[in-house]
Amino acid sequence: MEKGLKIFSYLPNPRVWKAEIAAKFAGIQVEIIGDKPSEIPNWLWDAEPKKLSDADKKKFKQFERIGKRGFSSSLYKTDDFIKLIPFGTVPAAFSPDGKIGIFESNSILRAVARQDKANNLYGKNSFEASRVDSFLDSGLVFSREHQEYLFGLKDMNEALYQRMKSAYEFFLNGIEESLKYNNFIGFDHLTIVDISFFCDFSQFLREGHYADDLKNKGFNLVSENFVSDYPKTYNHLMQLSQLDEFSSVIGTYLDWFKRKLEESN
Ligand SMILES: N[C@@H](CCC(=O)N[C@@H](CS)C(=O)NCC(=O)O)C(=O)O
């Protein structure tokens, strides 16, 4: 196996799964380093990440920074980390020699797909690759909206909810349209578009865990009618979830959603 990227993140993280699933299809190695979200403030965010003892935390005091997106506690991000990953986010990936930092989960996914020799994960030619990028760009807009929405789920407000609803409808309409013409999103073969969509959308579906919080504020789940409104997208999601390359990475993540659907039928 070719030596692959090193990825640092809190775990589990659907954004990390993108690269892991692509690596399974491509038969290449990725090294995943991390810990559960509550422990990640106790890690040195670096190209050589490591768990910090209390003594280490004193030693690395100069690297202590307050989290900017999702984390509100202190995080220990080295200067080298910020040089390589200037926005300071995880997942953060590093080239095998630790000299090149790659951020944004879709770009880490692309980095894996670029090493793929046999599966056309990044399209069959440069035009297809650009079409893959088109879908990934749209996916990033959706996922940025759902990131803010998921952060706000416990105390939803009208503005945030309506932003999410409109981003959801816009994005899902496009995905559903493209599935009218192809067996995969935008193509007749599986690409990283399917992988990225699968991971981002599965993460978005976590809103289902907060149905009661939303209801208390007078809101329904944005994805309330997902199955009937977007049947092709739903079928595609379910079919992908059954492929070994996906199921071996995501484990039981979608089981609660599948159970809920069974119960409602
Ligand atoms: N769009 C980015 C999102 C990455 C992101 O926002 N990560 C957050 C955690 S969810 C982070 O690393 N925050 C660091 C901080 O709070 O300083 C991706 O797909 O990788």
Side-chain angles (χ1 to χ4, degrees):
M1 274 194 177
E2 201 170 318
K3 194 167 170 13
L5 295 174
K6 181 191 289 182
I7 303 176
F8 172 64
S9 178
Y10 61 87
L11 302 172
N13 181 351
R15 295 188 179 97
V16 175
W17 293 344
K18 296 177 184 179
E20 282 186 88
I21 295 169
K24 295 240 176 218
F25 278 107
I28 62 170
Q29 218 182 344
V30 285
E31 184 186 357
I32 315 283
I33 302 173
D35 210 332
K36 49 184 191 252
S38 59
E39 280 301 313
I40 221 69
N42 298 323
W43 278 71
L44 189 67
W45 295 36
D46 189 65
E48 295 290 339
K50 66 166 191 157
K51 190 137 191 189
L52 298 171
S53 64
D54 287 344
D56 287 335
K57 283 188 179 174
K58 285 197 185 113
K59 189 169 117 200
F60 292 120
K61 185 82 185 150
Q62 81 269 26
F63 297 138
E64 189 178 352
R65 306 164 207 257
I66 299 298
K68 286 189 187 157
R69 186 173 277 181
F71 291 96
S72 48
S73 60
S74 283
L75 300 168
Y76 290 82
K77 302 180 185 178
T78 63
D79 293 346
D80 193 44
F81 182 84
I82 298 298
K83 184 174 151 208
L84 294 171
I85 311 288
F87 299 102
T89 52
V90 290
F94 305 94
S95 55
D97 63 5
K99 292 192 175 141
I100 299 175
I102 304 159
F103 45 93
E104 285 298 332
S105 56
N106 281 347
S107 290
I108 300 171
L109 171 64
R110 288 177 174 100
V112 173
R114 285 192 173 101
Q115 295 172 64
D116 170 44
K117 304 279 188 288
N119 304 282
N120 295 313
L121 289 176
Y122 206 153
K124 291 177 184 156
N125 54 49
S126 62
F127 291 111
E128 280 202 5
S130 299
R131 182 169 165 82
V132 166
D133 286 341
S134 308
F135 278 99
L136 293 186
D137 285 356
S138 317
L140 176 58
V141 174
F142 171 73
S143 83
R144 174 65 186 128
E145 293 290 343
H146 88 53
Q147 184 182 38
E148 283 298 317
Y149 174 72
L150 293 180
F151 287 155
L153 272 175
K154 280 195 153 301
D155 191 19
M156 190 50 57
N157 63 68
E158 185 68 26
L160 185 55
Y161 184 82
Q162 291 306 336
R163 266 197 81 113
M164 184 68 248
K165 194 164 177 301
S166 118
Y168 167 86
E169 287 168 1
F170 184 83
F171 183 59
L172 273 261
N173 278 329
I175 299 297
E176 187 76 6
E177 277 303 316
S178 82
L179 285 168
K180 286 184 187 160
Y181 306 101
N182 303 286
N183 290 331
F184 295 87
I185 302 171
F187 298 90
D188 59 3
H189 61 102
L190 184 134
T191 68
I192 54 176
V193 173
D194 301 286
I195 298 174
S196 177
F197 169 79
F198 179 89
C199 295
D200 281 332
F201 196 73
S202 299
Q203 187 170 28
F204 164 73
L205 285 175
R206 283 181 54 75
E207 68 155 357
H209 293 302
Y210 297 85
D212 291 342
D213 295 291
L214 284 170
K215 199 134 264 156
N216 287 340
K217 292 269 175 177
F219 300 108
N220 287 330
L221 292 176
V222 170
S223 62
E224 187 83 359
N225 300 317
F226 168 52
V227 178
S228 52
D229 287 348
Y230 304 104
K232 290 181 189 303
T233 307
Y234 163 70
N235 284 334
H236 191 53
L237 190 81
M238 290 301 113
Q239 278 164 13
L240 292 176
S241 78
Q242 279 151 22
L243 299 178
D244 284 349
E245 290 83 354
F246 285 74
S247 62
S248 60
V249 171
I250 72 159
T252 57
Y253 194 77
L254 274 182
D255 288 2
W256 71 273
F257 174 70
K258 293 180 181 173
R259 251 192 327 270
K260 195 181 97 173
L261 290 183
E262 273 165 26
E263 282 161 18
S264 65
N265 283 332

